Amino acid sequence: MSTPTLDREITVRRAPRAVLVSAWAVPVMIVGQFAMLAIVPVAFVLIGALRDTRLKALRWGAIALTAAYATPLALWAIGPERAQSLSKDMHPVFATLIVAVGVAFAVACHVVPRKSRIQGTNCGQ
């Protein structure tokens, strides 16, 4: 009686927890009117996506999130009459854009490893 051979085990690499939590924290902080503090999770997302080779497929999403956040931040910083808070000075279109890109990036962090598992490759490699 012969034993069946098992196929090669496919390992799925997930996004690091810090990147995943930060990706979800950005839209929550923008909606909760903590836009200035959102610079911390945006930095974690960008640095994590650029440094980790497993997240190569998500790099453009991280860059898009950073650009969407940096635009109103720069406008607030160089504006002649700026409010005391970035949340109060930010146009609602920018807030909506940041939230949309942040949610899309966070969902992509969950979906990309699944697609990799189906295709039999690691995330981003």
Side-chain angles (χ1 to χ4, degrees), residues 12-15 20 23-24 54-55 57-58 103-124:
V12 177
R13 296 182 177 182
R14 297 179 188 263
L20 194 57
W24 284 110
R54 297 175 291 179
L55 301 179
L58 300 174
V103 169
F105 180 81
V107 169
C109 284
H110 293 287
V111 173
V112 169
R114 272 193 209 141
K115 283 187 177 181
S116 302
R117 182 178 12 199
I118 292 169
Q119 296 171 353
T121 61
N122 289 336
C123 176

Side-chain angles (χ1 to χ4, degrees), residues 17-42:
R17 187 170 299 185
V19 173
L20 194 57
V21 170
S22 296
W24 284 110
V26 172
V28 170
M29 293 178 102
I30 296 296
V31 170
Q33 298 291 309
F34 292 101
M36 186 57 85
L37 294 177
I39 195 167
V40 175
V42 168

Side-chain angles (χ1 to χ4, degrees), residues 8-120:
R8 183 179 69 141
E9 184 178 327
I10 298 171
T11 58
V12 177
R13 296 182 177 182
R14 297 179 188 263
R17 187 170 299 185
V19 173
L20 194 57
V21 170
S22 296
W24 284 110
V26 172
V28 170
M29 293 178 102
I30 296 296
V31 170
Q33 298 291 309
F34 292 101
M36 186 57 85
L37 294 177
I39 195 167
V40 175
V42 168
F44 274 124
V45 166
L46 181 65
I47 293 169
L50 293 178
R51 291 188 72 194
D52 197 340
T53 58
R54 297 175 291 179
L55 301 179
K56 189 175 182 182
L58 300 174
R59 286 183 182 164
W60 284 108
I63 291 169
L65 178 61
T66 305
Y69 179 78
T71 303
L73 180 65
L75 291 174
W76 174 79
I78 63 173
E81 294 180 21
R82 59 183 183 189
Q84 292 179 349
S85 166
L86 176 61
S87 298
K88 292 179 181 169
D89 196 46
M90 187 184 307
H91 195 276
V93 173
F94 283 126
T96 305
L97 179 67
I98 295 168
V99 169
V101 173
V103 169
F105 180 81
V107 169
C109 284
H110 293 287
V111 173
V112 169
R114 272 193 209 141
K115 283 187 177 181
S116 302
R117 182 178 12 199
I118 292 169
Q119 296 171 353

